[in-house]
Amino acid sequence: MNAHVFVDETKERGLLVAAAVVLPADLAAARRTMRDLILPGQRRIHFHKERDDRRRQIIAAVATLSAQAVIFDASRHRDPRAAREACLIELVEHAAKIDAGRLVLERDDSTLQADQRLLFEQVRKSGISGNLRYDHLRAHEECLLAIPDALAWCWAKGGRWKTSVQRIISESRQV
């Protein structure tokens, strides 16, 4: 399959990580769709800063893509570092299971080194070192990071927002 997995998080009510899976054949169309949503003057879509009508527009566009996502919910962890590690471990296991070729995480300089160490170790343990490439990019460097950004926000917000993305979410895991 060699899917690309785009990852973002929210810490609104404990750590929640969204991993959106896009197949290589769908990448160009998905990028075009997401780039078209960026307004003049914006470098990127940042879902929590958007108005509700824009949020609905973005979710409607994401729903037209062939992307599917998994939610990793680490809200039961009290220690933020342990929560992040649990999510990353599950994320690598998921990437191995679906034979992903690339993992793209939104770059957070405060966690970058720890993430890289853990990812290196987990990718090696999973036996996919030669198969899975992982990158930490800023949201303006990869427009498809807007997908998990939106999904994580909606899932954490709950109510109608969570309902609006449920058909895109193939699985939700407590980690």
Side-chain angles (χ1 to χ4, degrees):
M1 183 198 302
N2 294 319
H4 291 223
V5 182
F6 300 91
V7 182
D8 198 10
E9 67 191 48
T10 182
K11 298 171 190 153
E12 189 76 21
R13 293 184 181 100
L15 183 66
L16 192 83
V17 172
V21 178
V22 181
L23 297 177
D26 301 326
L27 286 167
R31 283 190 178 108
R32 197 169 28 258
T33 297
M34 297 313 291
R35 261 192 239 105
D36 287 349
L37 290 167
I38 298 171
L39 298 173
Q42 282 186 321
R43 276 180 89 185
R44 69 180 190 114
I45 296 168
H46 199 190
F47 204 76
H48 91 272
K49 292 183 177 182
E50 300 287 351
R51 296 179 327 272
D52 281 355
D53 60 326
R54 270 281 287 161
R55 288 181 180 133
R56 284 189 292 275
Q57 177 190 20
I58 293 164
I59 291 303
V62 168
T64 68
L65 305 176
S66 61
Q68 287 290 304
V70 175
I71 299 290
F72 300 96
D73 183 347
S75 57
R76 67 180 177 89
H77 289 272
R78 296 207 187 280
D79 176 18
R81 197 171 84 211
R84 186 165 187 85
E85 288 177 3
C87 286
L88 291 178
I89 290 167
E90 288 287 324
L91 182 61
V92 171
E93 287 178 15
H94 180 69
K97 181 177 137 189
I98 66 167
D99 192 27
R102 186 170 185 221
L103 188 59
V104 181
L105 295 94
E106 184 167 356
R107 184 178 176 129
D108 176 347
D109 290 332
S110 70
T111 63
L112 181 62
Q113 287 183 336
D115 283 2
Q116 288 175 327
R117 273 193 301 275
L118 183 66
L119 287 169
F120 178 81
E121 181 182 318
Q122 290 304 312
V123 167
R124 185 183 49 76
K125 278 183 182 177
S126 296
I128 56 172
S129 295
N131 302 333
L132 181 67
R133 179 177 130 205
Y134 52 89
D135 300 298
H136 287 81
L137 299 175
R138 304 223 184 268
H140 71 271
E141 296 173 313
E142 174 54 77
C143 64
L144 294 183
L145 286 167
I147 298 170
D149 176 54
L151 297 175
W153 187 93
C154 288
W155 199 263
K157 199 70 169 168
R160 66 183 169 106
W161 292 109
K162 184 175 181 177
T163 301
S164 72
V165 298
Q166 277 186 311
R167 67 184 180 118
I168 303 165
I169 308 298
S170 61
E171 183 180 357
S172 175
R173 298 183 193 174
Q174 294 288 325
V175 297

